[in-house]
Amino acid sequence: MKQITIKKAVEVVGVGLHKGVPVKMRLEPLPADRGIVFYRTDKDVQIELKPENVVDTTMATVLGKGDVRVSTIEHLLSAVHAYGIDNLLICVDNEEIPIMDGSAIAYCALLDEAGLVALDARKKAIEIKKVIEVKDGEKFVRIEPSPKTIFDFKIEFNHPGIKEQSYRFVFSTNAYKEEIARARTFGFLSEVNYLRSVGLAKGGGLHNCIVLDESGVMNKEGLRYKEEFVRHKILDAIGDMAILGMPLIGTYVSFAGSHKLNHLLTMQVLAQADAYEIVELPDSEEERVEEYEQAYAMQRQ
């Protein structure tokens, strides 16, 4: 399987979720083995997509170099990862990635417009070799060995509009577009005033966020999926785990996971040499799964 970039540059204009400021974003192709790179055009600073460049996970995942930041990257990265893109330059002229409608479907449309092209280099992936878990009280995120990439998430909220939700997503590009990409970010009306008092959620509203009051969903159109809340948590997790820098082969399991726990998980994985192996992907998914199962059977003998 070859590495992938986009065929042509594309751009979009929107606003940032937390700062509420206008931002222009342009996606450009990159050669093989360059990875995902963010470029603040207004600061002339490039920031590579690496776990060590994550500087904040309070309400979003934020990359930084010195005093230059790029915030709320997880939704875009989720779509980029779902499309199998290995090399990409993401240019923005402000601090945040545009939030669009609060999901990843607009980024999918942008990538469809750009098109994909294979490069003359083999695609590499991180194959998980042992269980790694990060906990915060009852909350946890965990990665386990598996021949397929799976995201298994559960949430519980003491709110009549959410309660308990769980979803198991077997990763593929088509399944992502059908099951995950349209799930929007969500928040509670009771928290809005506080968030805005600390400089966050200034660009949020019913047009790009599911908002819940005391009784339920305030958005007139309702939900896009029955389990839209937990599906969005999977969307976020896919974007956060993409910070590993290459496709993930393993099962991600979480109860009430967060950007912070996802970041700590990526750091824990890379800190343990026996936790993963970097492998070149064969030309077909079936061939890769067969190779994995053969290797796993030999380990058990």
Side-chain angles (χ1 to χ4, degrees), residues 85-269:
I85 296 170
D86 305 282
N87 307 282
L88 185 68
L89 183 65
I90 302 168
C91 306
V92 289
D93 63 357
N94 218 312
E95 187 172 323
E96 273 192 284
I97 299 297
I99 189 61
M100 310 310 287
D101 74 343
S103 75
I105 195 65
Y107 304 126
C108 292
L110 195 64
L111 294 173
D112 286 337
E113 179 186 346
L116 305 180
V117 62
L119 301 169
D120 191 21
R122 300 293 294 184
K123 182 187 286 286
K124 296 178 181 178
I126 290 183
E127 186 172 315
I128 300 301
K129 292 297 185 180
K130 73 174 188 180
V131 176
I132 302 289
E133 184 176 77
V134 178
K135 301 185 71 174
D136 179 11
E138 294 183 351
K139 301 176 182 179
F140 72 85
V141 292
R142 181 172 69 241
I143 195 75
E144 305 171 349
S146 169
K148 295 183 178 181
T149 301
I150 298 170
F151 287 81
D152 194 342
F153 215 116
K154 181 179 179 180
I155 58 174
E156 287 183 5
F157 283 86
N158 184 24
H159 189 284
I162 303 179
K163 298 181 181 180
E164 179 180 305
Q165 292 190 354
S166 60
Y167 199 78
R168 184 176 184 272
F169 173 63
V170 180
F171 186 90
S172 75
T173 301
N174 288 336
Y176 177 87
K177 292 169 73 173
E178 290 293 325
E179 301 176 34
I180 302 298
R182 296 177 64 249
R184 294 161 293 174
T185 192
F186 61 94
F188 300 91
L189 184 63
S190 60
E191 298 176 350
V192 170
N193 289 337
Y194 167 74
L195 290 173
R196 289 182 175 170
S197 74
V198 295
L200 298 173
K202 292 182 177 180
L206 294 172
H207 61 292
N208 58 20
C209 181
I210 304 171
V211 181
L212 299 107
D213 60 15
E214 294 181 356
S215 60
V217 174
M218 297 179 64
N219 305 63
K220 291 183 179 180
E221 72 276 15
L223 298 177
R224 295 175 176 177
Y225 306 104
K226 179 182 177 182
E227 319 89 344
E228 187 166 0
F229 303 102
V230 72
R231 293 196 199 202
H232 184 80
K233 297 292 283 187
I234 290 175
L235 187 156
D236 278 347
I238 292 170
D240 285 343
M241 297 308 292
I243 296 174
L244 286 168
M246 58 186 70
L248 174 71
I249 304 171
T251 293
Y252 169 101
V253 183
S254 178
F255 171 69
S258 63
H259 297 305
K260 178 182 178 180
L261 289 178
N262 289 337
H263 172 56
L264 293 175
L265 181 61
T266 61
M267 296 293 284
Q268 282 291 319
V269 169

Side-chain angles (χ1 to χ4, degrees), residues 52-111:
E52 57 265 35
N53 287 337
V54 174
V55 295
D56 192 9
T57 54
T58 305
M59 293 294 294
T61 300
V62 184
L63 294 181
K65 179 185 287 186
D67 62 351
V68 178
R69 294 187 169 199
V70 179
S71 179
T72 323
I73 63 174
E74 59 273 10
H75 298 174
L76 173 61
L77 286 181
S78 185
V80 167
H81 183 75
Y83 274 64
I85 296 170
D86 305 282
N87 307 282
L88 185 68
L89 183 65
I90 302 168
C91 306
V92 289
D93 63 357
N94 218 312
E95 187 172 323
E96 273 192 284
I97 299 297
I99 189 61
M100 310 310 287
D101 74 343
S103 75
I105 195 65
Y107 304 126
C108 292
L110 195 64
L111 294 173

